[in-house]
Every structure is written in structure tokens, then in C-alpha cells.
Amino acid sequence: MDLTKTSRFISLILRHKPWVAGIDLDEHGWADVEELIQGVRKKYPLDRQILEEIVRTDNKQRYSFNDDKTKIRANQGHSIAVDVELPVVTPPEILYHGTGEKYAAAIEREGLVPKSRLYVHLSGDVTTAENVGRRHGRPVIFCVHSGDMHRKGHVFYRSVNGVWLTKRVEPQFLRPYSSEEG
């Protein structure tokens, strides 16, 4: 059994297309676990034990169960309107954004925009940003002056898996990361 493919399918369902599995998400992104299992079974074998293993072993901590494990949701990365009840958090002075080299010029010009997602995703460290950037080709890392943004009224959230989220990062709050800084 390929847990990676099953996990990606669950991510698609919980973040972007719940109707693919014939389920609904509530306003906070929660799905009924039994309904999800039934919906995923249309494409991949899944039971509660496998689902719990996927959640427990996911290196990006994409998913959370509620306290009694009757509901599950994606922690962030949604393209559909849900409120995952993230607390507003004061960010550190600098956060990081990793991307592919092919996107760097557009980011310098336009800033960071969520595109199809609800938020821009930022990392608390350079290594994570670099790993994210690698998924898009040769990595380029931007420093985000999140402390300045916060003082100017921008709101930040932090997902349970440590990803920093904000609605937008304007170009004046960005600068390319230099390895001499690390």
C-alpha cells in the first residue's frame, strides 16, 4: 500500500475538493472521519488504523484530529473558504519564504500573494524555506520583514505544524536571503 498517494489524496480532499470524496467540511474545515474513510476507499484502501498512521507519520504534520478522533482536518493550505481557528500571533522579526528561481522576479515585483490558497505560507527558518523552494526547482529564499509588517497592522497566524500564515507580503517587506546572513 502506498501511504504517500493516499495521503496526497486526503490532502486534496481536505484542502481543496471535498466533493471528490462525496463529503462536506464544516466552516472550520472539519470532516467526519468515517465519511472521509468511505470517500477515500473509492480510490484507495483505507481504514481508521491506516488513517491514524498517515496522520501520525506525516512529516509535514498536515492533519489534525479533534479530541475524540471523530473529525479530521487539514492544518492549512486550503483553497476553499474555511476558518481553521488559528490564533493571531506576533511573528518574529524575520520569517522566510522559499520558492523556485523561476518565480523570483515576479515575487520581487508583486510581493507574495496567496494565489489559489487563503494565505501566504512562510517558514520560521532558512532550512525549511529552502526545502520548500526545492519543490519548485532551484531554490530561492526571501527574507520577510514580518516584524515591520506586524507593526504596520498585518496579521499573522501560526498553524499547529509551525507554518506561518499571512494574507499577503508586499514587495517592500521582502529581500533576497544571502547565505552570509546564516
Side-chain angles (χ1 to χ4, degrees):
M1 164 178 281
D2 187 341
L3 292 185
T4 301
K5 285 184 179 178
T6 305
S7 180
R8 285 185 181 146
F9 188 58
I10 291 169
S11 179
L12 172 77
I13 293 164
L14 295 178
R15 294 165 72 186
H16 309 293
K17 298 179 178 182
W19 56 89
V20 168
I23 67 169
D24 292 312
L25 305 181
D26 73 12
E27 68 274 13
H28 300 295
W30 293 107
D32 179 271
V33 167
E34 291 305 319
E35 289 177 11
L36 177 70
I37 290 170
Q38 293 305 315
V40 171
R41 277 188 187 159
K42 296 172 188 171
K43 188 165 180 162
Y44 297 102
L46 185 67
D47 60 23
R48 183 175 285 275
Q49 183 178 351
I50 294 169
L51 180 61
E52 288 185 16
E53 181 180 349
I54 287 170
V55 172
R56 185 181 67 255
T57 61
D58 186 83
N59 64 342
K60 294 181 184 174
Q61 298 177 305
R62 288 180 184 94
Y63 317 106
S64 292
F65 285 113
N66 67 344
D67 291 338
D68 64 3
K69 293 189 177 181
T70 58
K71 296 190 179 290
I72 186 172
R73 71 177 171 194
N75 290 323
Q76 91 277 326
H78 298 82
S79 62
I80 53 177
V82 295
D83 172 11
V84 291
E85 307 167 289
L86 297 171
V88 174
V89 181
T90 300
E93 283 300 309
I94 301 290
L95 289 169
Y96 303 92
H97 181 79
T99 190
E101 186 176 51
K102 60 188 170 192
Y103 303 116
I107 289 171
E108 288 176 353
R109 215 175 32 254
E110 302 164 20
L112 296 170
V113 295
K115 303 225 182 228
S116 63
R117 293 187 176 182
L118 299 178
Y119 299 101
V120 170
H121 293 199
L122 304 172
S123 304
D125 63 89
V126 173
T127 302
T128 302
E130 187 171 22
N131 290 336
V132 169
R134 256 194 201 90
R135 296 192 314 232
H136 304 284
R138 186 168 177 264
V140 172
I141 301 166
F142 286 92
C143 293
V144 176
H145 292 272
S146 44
D148 291 343
M149 288 178 63
H150 175 71
R151 286 185 287 280
K152 292 191 187 272
H154 294 264
V155 178
F156 287 82
Y157 307 92
R158 190 161 191 227
S159 180
V160 295
N161 61 356
V163 175
W164 288 88
L165 306 165
T166 192
K167 286 288 187 184
R168 182 173 204 282
V169 179
E170 295 155 352
Q172 69 263 29
F173 296 112
L174 290 170
R175 70 176 163 69
Y177 171 78
S178 167
S179 60
E180 292 86 52
E181 298 175 61

